[in-house]
Each structure stands twice: as structure tokens, then as C-alpha cells.
Amino acid sequence: MLVGATPMKGERPFATWLAAQKLDGIKLANPDELTQIIFFVDPNCPACASLWAWFDATPHRSLASLWVPVAYMKPSSAARAVALLRAADPYSALGRNYGKGFDHAAWEGAIEPALNITPSEQVQLNGNRRFWVGLFGATPLVLYRQADGSAWQAVGLPRGGFDALLPKLATSKLQTYQPR
């Protein structure tokens, strides 16, 4: 590893977790749920499509997640990322992009790219990308919150998905304590 480089995986400062919550992304959770896991993805990333296949299965789809597009793989990545962010039904949009229509050979998501990107949308994508590059700059990159309050990072898609970390995840509901 290079001196000063961020490692691919391991514990991160909790401030990193809090900052990631503010990025522009697609939240798949009930309004009262706390995010348990954050996925940094490119709309044209084949490994991200495999991540979606893992996520879009019971019990994973019930995770309170935030999908943050970083748009770096191909020229069409930014327009597809904007299309995902604009979607009226984000879950369906992610499924359409990464599902059966995803072209693994061409590294092409299936969602129709947005026809134009506004300056504010470009600022959002640039902010997502800067943050992600500071973490490691590969997709999929995953940040997750553990039950003990710590924040962790993993890069890539482990064989079998992320099933091993599921028991460690923090609950999506605020924990309350009994008065003494």
C-alpha cells in the first residue's frame, strides 16, 4: 500500500459515516429508518449489477440502504446516474438498470440515460465522486454501520455477497433504553 493511501477495507471514522449520509443518492428504506449500509456504484459497473442481484433477494432487500452513484466507468455513466437519481420509483429504476437488461459484455446499464444534466446535478455527481475517491475509488464500495456504532468499509463483491456482515449490521430503528 502507498504511504498515505486509504486501505480498501477496514474501520472508518464515524464522521465518515455521518458525512456519507449527506451524499446524493437513492435511499431504499422507510422514512423512519436509519441507513444500515451505503453502496457506491456506477450505473455501468458489472460488479454493481451482481451486487444488485444479491441485494434484490430476501432478506437483503429489507436493508435500509443508500445507493450513491459515482459515474466514472463510461461517458454514459453520468447520464444514467442522473436518470437513477431522478426516478420516481427508485427501487424499480435500480432494478431496471442492474437487472436482466444489464449488458455485462458491454458494461452497460439498462436504464435510459437522462437527456440533459443540470449544473446542480453535475455538482451532486462531482461531490459523490470526490467523497468516494477519498475512500478508495473502486466499485462497488460499501460502507456499513455495525451494531456497536462503528463504521466499516469493504470494496468489491465478496463471493456469496455480503451475507457474512449481515449479523453485524446495526438496526435500522433507533434504539431506546429503559429509564432507570
Side-chain angles (χ1 to χ4, degrees):
M1 181 169 52
L2 299 172
V3 175
T6 304
M8 288 177 51
K9 62 183 183 175
E11 189 170 4
R12 294 288 170 262
F14 196 69
T16 300
W17 174 259
L18 294 175
Q21 300 289 319
K22 297 176 184 173
L23 295 171
D24 293 292
I26 300 157
K27 186 164 183 180
L28 300 180
N30 292 324
D32 64 332
E33 290 181 324
L34 300 171
T35 301
Q36 297 172 279
I37 193 163
I38 301 170
F39 301 109
F40 291 84
V41 294
D42 184 287
N44 292 316
C45 168
C48 298
S50 296
L51 170 65
W52 177 259
W54 172 84
F55 178 83
D56 193 30
T58 306
H60 313 132
R61 72 173 70 106
S62 65
L63 293 171
S65 61
L66 178 64
W67 293 73
V68 179
V70 293
Y72 76 101
M73 289 192 126
K74 299 180 87 166
S76 65
S77 292
R80 280 195 170 89
V82 168
L84 289 171
L85 291 171
R86 289 180 185 172
D89 182 349
Y91 190 90
S92 292
L94 285 164
R96 192 167 54 255
N97 187 68
Y98 291 120
K100 292 178 182 171
F102 190 93
D103 186 338
H104 286 267
W107 291 27
E108 286 285 334
I111 196 166
E112 189 67 30
L115 294 178
N116 58 14
I117 299 174
T118 67
S120 65
E121 289 168 331
Q122 190 60 56
V123 167
Q124 291 173 329
L125 291 177
N126 291 345
N128 287 354
R129 186 171 173 157
R130 274 192 306 276
F131 188 91
W132 163 76
V133 165
L135 294 174
F136 189 74
T139 53
L141 186 141
V142 179
L143 283 178
Y144 56 97
R145 184 173 55 97
Q146 293 197 143
D148 66 3
S150 62
W152 292 77
Q153 171 181 313
V155 175
L157 184 63
R159 193 177 316 261
F162 291 98
D163 287 338
L165 72 83
L166 292 178
K168 300 176 187 177
L169 289 180
T171 179
S172 62
K173 303 288 183 194
L174 278 175
Q175 293 182 5
T176 56
Y177 301 93
Q178 296 296 323
R180 293 182 181 202

